[in-house]
Each structure stands twice: as structure tokens, then as C-alpha cells.
Amino acid sequence: MVSQRLAPFGTSVFAEMTALANEKGAINLSQGFPDFDGPDAIFEAAQKAMRVGENQYPRSRGHVSLVRAVAESRERLYGLAFDPLTEVVVFSGATEGICSSMLGLLNPGDEVVLFEPAYDSYGPCAAMAGATARYVTLRFPDFAFDESALRAAVTPRTRLIVLNTPHNPTGKVFTREELSTIARVAQEHDLVVLADEVYEHLVFDAAVHVPIATLPGMRERTLTLSSTGKTFSLTGWKVGWGCGPKHLVDAAQAAHQFVTYATATPLQVAMAFALREFRGPYLEKFRAEYLERRDFLVSALRDAGFVVAVPKGTYFVLADFSALHPGDDMAFARWLVTEHGVAAIPPGSFYAADRTEPRRLARFAFCKRMETLKRAAERLRKVRA
Ligand code: PMP
Ligand code: GLN
């Protein structure tokens, strides 16, 4: 019964692997959600909002307190000025942002350039908009791309480049030089960039998150998406946003008004509070804690016999398991969860053009308590044996 557009995509690998992890009683390092809660003060802000009557439909483009807090945070962090009332739109998570933006910006027959591995919803959302995806493959372990591969993916039908930095699932943080290449191609071909920056605060070592909208000439052609789910460890609240020039925000809004119309009112009010109150010191601690988790998981995977691409950003790590198992990514992920009680994501559904690339890779999430990661490390140690 599933429509022709969606039939090729099957069930989300995240739902599938979390269900399998629960069924097997495994430690779940598959789907990216923290096994700890966000700050109490944000819960109190949501409860207070409910008690003072913030319970009916909000403004479709976003509660005024939240669009203001988003605009203020963009200005403070990146020096990007957006008019909160016309250049910001609140979505029910970046997931809805991706979908509404593509539905609002694309015409049937248009083409979209994706870097693969590509977050699993990009391809299906392009398909829902009647567009076709073309891919530039980022290869393990350095995930570099060259300009000629990007240029080869652009045709006269291309309308959009989707850029995800920091990048799920590779942990790549696009450098200023790489972003300049993308910006040059976008400007030469008059393309829009849909920049998915949900991991904007999760960068490590010397890596710096550079929003592509800050590059010369790019503010006018970039719609930037982000989300509060990762930053405040509240992925189930599903509060995200898009920022960009009015003509791009209006396009996304044209779809958003009919997709969800709006996002839960008290949660928007609480997230406005979070953006205002949880700034520098909170974000520094957040990054430091994730750095400790990253380093721990990377060494646990190496000790177990994986070859690891150390992530510069996000809370994921891609690891090559070929020294440990002869099968493909799906066979390995099933074996690991069944025989060793650790769930990981087989990254096959992030790849469409080069199906051989993911066959030896598994994605592990480190958005978990150190105690959980230590238990996982004990189990992983037995994999080599
Ligand atoms: N984009 C990327 C790259 C992601 O990893 C995720 C989710 N984890 C999303 C978008 C979706 O964000 P949200 O949970 O806010 O819908
Ligand atoms: N973004 C999360 C991940 O990559 C999952 C989000 C979802 O389940 N849709 O694991």
C-alpha cells in the first residue's frame, strides 16, 4: 500500500535497531539519543509555561519568544542577523525542517545534491517533493571530497545542495576551505544550500563549526536548520528551527503551515528560556563531557580491533569492523547485538550511490552516560576474543 515514492525506503534504520536492541536487552549505541536527561530548569520552564496558559496553538512560524531567542543566538554566536518575525521559522525538530524545506523549495523534476553518507531522511524527503538526488561520496576514513566530484553532480536541473556539518554519521566537520568550494559552486549555478547544523555545538579538538551562511554571498542563498534536541539532550521534545532570507523561509513556511502548522507551545517557550539561559559555560561543559565520551569510545573500539575514524564533531563514530567479521554492515550489526549485546547502526541506508562503501562500517553513538559506555566497552572487549 505504500506509495511508489516512499516504497524504496522501507523502515527507518533507527527505529529498527532500537527495537532490536530492546528485544535483545542490548546496550543501545545505535539511535542517537542520550540516556540522560536535559537540565531540570528547562523542565520547570515548560511546566510553568503550561500553568500560565501557554497551551493553545502558537503562531505558525513559531512562538515570538522562541524566534527572538533563535535570532539572538545566531547573532551572538555567528554574527548573523535575522529578523525574528520574517527570517526564522520553528519546526517540529530538524526532521520536519528538512521535509518542509524540501517540499517548499523543490519542484517535481528538480535535482538535489547530497553528500553521502547522507542522513537517512534527505533522500526520502527529496523523493516526497518529486525531486531526484545526486550524490557526492565521502569515503572512510578522511571523508574528503574534491571539487570535480561536486561539479559532476550538478546539472541544469539542480536546485539545492544539502550540507550537513558537523556531519552524521562520519563526524566530519567541513573546513572553511571545503565550504568555500561548495559556496563557489552554489553561486556559479545559482543554487540554494540547505545547511543542516543540528550538531553545531558538538565540535572537538581544533575543529571549528563554520556556518556556510557566514561565507561571502551565502546568507542570501542558505536556509540553515538546527535543533534543540542535541544541544539540550532533549531529543524527544522535537523543537527545531530554520533561519535564512525571507524568500527561503517563506518557501519552507508554505509547506510547514500544512505539514504540522506549528510546534508544541509550552516546549517552544521552554526552549526560548534554554537558548537565553544556557550559553557559554553550559556549552563548554557540554563539549568537555562529550569529548571525554568520544575519547573513551574511540579507544574501546580500537582495543576491540576496529579501525576508527576519530570524529571531529557530532556524537557518532564510524568504525571499520573488517578485522572482526566477514559479513556486511547489516550482518555485522545483527551479530553484534545478538552475540555481544551491543547495538550499532549499519550505515547502509546512508548510502545510495556507492553501496560497497558502507559494507564494512558500523556507526556507534556516544551520547550515553560514561557508565553505559564502560559497560559497552567490557562487552566489546570480548568481540576480539
Ligand atoms: N539532521 C541530522 C543530521 C540528524 O542527525 C538529526 C537527528 N538526530 C536530525 C537532522 C533530526 O533532528 P530532530 O531530532 O531535531 O528532528
Ligand atoms: N538522528 C538520530 C540518529 O542519527 C536519529 C533520529 C531518528 O531516529 N529519526 O541516530
Side-chain angles (χ1 to χ4, degrees):
M1 276 307 287
V2 177
S3 71
Q4 285 172 9
R5 277 182 178 154
L6 288 170
F9 301 106
T11 303
S12 147
V13 69
F14 305 123
E16 204 177 320
M17 287 313 297
T18 283
L20 195 58
N22 292 342
E23 184 193 316
K24 305 281 180 195
I27 299 171
N28 189 359
L29 305 188
S30 67
Q31 191 176 27
F33 62 86
D35 68 347
F36 47 86
D37 259 337
D40 259 359
I42 304 179
F43 302 164
E44 281 155 24
Q47 285 160 1
K48 183 173 159 221
M50 289 178 199
R51 277 190 245 105
V52 300
E54 294 278 13
N55 297 307
Q56 308 308 329
Y57 295 128
R59 183 174 166 267
S60 173
R61 287 174 182 250
H63 195 287
V64 169
S65 68
L66 182 54
V67 291
R68 286 204 174 123
V70 167
E72 277 163 27
S73 79
R74 303 303 93 183
E75 174 100 53
R76 189 173 63 240
L77 290 164
Y78 308 121
L80 283 167
F82 294 106
D83 177 344
L85 297 181
T86 59
E87 296 185 314
V88 180
V89 51
V90 171
F91 296 118
S92 296
T95 307
E96 193 240 328
I98 293 160
C99 189
S100 290
S101 302
M102 290 204 195
L103 290 173
L105 286 165
L106 296 170
N107 286 302
D110 282 353
E111 290 182 2
V112 178
V113 175
L114 303 180
F115 289 92
E116 79 170 2
Y119 184 60
D120 77 329
S121 80
Y122 300 158
C125 288
M128 284 193 263
T132 305
R134 287 186 179 262
Y135 294 88
V136 178
T137 304
L138 307 171
R139 292 200 162 74
F140 185 92
D142 67 351
F143 311 112
F145 71 96
D146 58 48
E147 185 166 347
S148 58
L150 176 59
R151 288 190 181 278
V154 173
T155 77
R157 289 177 172 270
T158 308
R159 166 97 171 112
L160 199 67
I161 299 178
V162 180
L163 167 70
N164 171 215
T165 186
H167 184 263
N168 176 7
T170 64
K172 175 186 175 73
V173 177
F174 283 69
T175 62
R176 188 176 286 278
E177 202 187 341
E178 289 173 318
L179 297 173
S180 300
T181 302
I182 297 167
R184 197 161 52 241
V185 172
Q187 290 178 37
E188 276 174 30
H189 294 269
D190 194 21
L191 309 178
V192 172
V193 173
L194 184 62
D196 177 346
E197 301 184 356
V198 300
Y199 300 100
E200 61 183 321
H201 295 300
L202 276 172
V203 287
F204 310 117
D205 310 326
V208 179
H209 168 61
V210 180
I212 194 166
T214 61
L215 268 57
M218 290 308 290
R219 187 194 179 285
E220 281 316 292
R221 58 178 67 250
T222 304
L223 182 57
T224 306
L225 305 177
S226 193
S227 169
T228 56
K230 330 285 162 185
T231 305
F232 301 111
S233 306
L234 294 167
T235 59
W237 284 30
K238 303 293 297 181
V239 181
W241 65 76
C243 294
K246 185 175 179 302
H247 63 282
L248 299 182
V249 168
D250 283 350
Q253 169 62 18
H256 167 71
Q257 64 182 333
F258 298 125
V259 173
T260 56
Y261 182 74
T263 296
T265 309
L267 303 188
Q268 290 198 50
V269 175
M271 284 307 187
F273 164 82
L275 285 178
R276 283 194 311 266
E277 299 299 321
F278 288 78
R279 290 159 45 170
Y282 168 81
L283 295 173
E284 267 166 45
K285 183 162 175 273
F286 175 75
R287 258 190 296 271
E289 287 170 353
Y290 269 104
L291 180 62
E292 186 190 356
R293 296 180 187 118
R294 180 201 69 171
D295 289 347
F296 181 82
L297 183 62
V298 164
S299 60
L301 289 167
R302 283 183 170 154
D303 289 348
F306 292 87
V307 176
V308 174
V310 179
K312 294 283 183 203
T314 76
Y315 46 50
F316 303 113
V317 48
L318 267 189
D320 180 330
F321 60 77
S322 37
L324 300 166
H325 192 273
D328 67 7
D329 58 327
M330 189 50 96
F332 172 76
R334 286 187 188 284
W335 174 78
L336 191 70
V337 71
T338 309
E339 299 298 320
H340 293 280
V342 177
I345 290 289
S349 58
F350 286 66
Y351 292 80
D354 185 346
R355 295 275 190 181
T356 58
E357 180 67 12
R359 294 178 69 89
R360 64 206 160 94
L361 300 175
R363 189 197 78 174
F364 294 85
F366 52 91
C367 42
K368 308 290 166 184
R369 286 170 291 156
M370 280 305 288
E371 174 201 319
T372 307
L373 296 175
K374 284 180 183 159
R375 282 196 298 123
E378 275 167 32
R379 295 185 181 189
L380 289 170
R381 227 169 274 135
K382 295 184 187 137
V383 174
R384 184 169 228 165

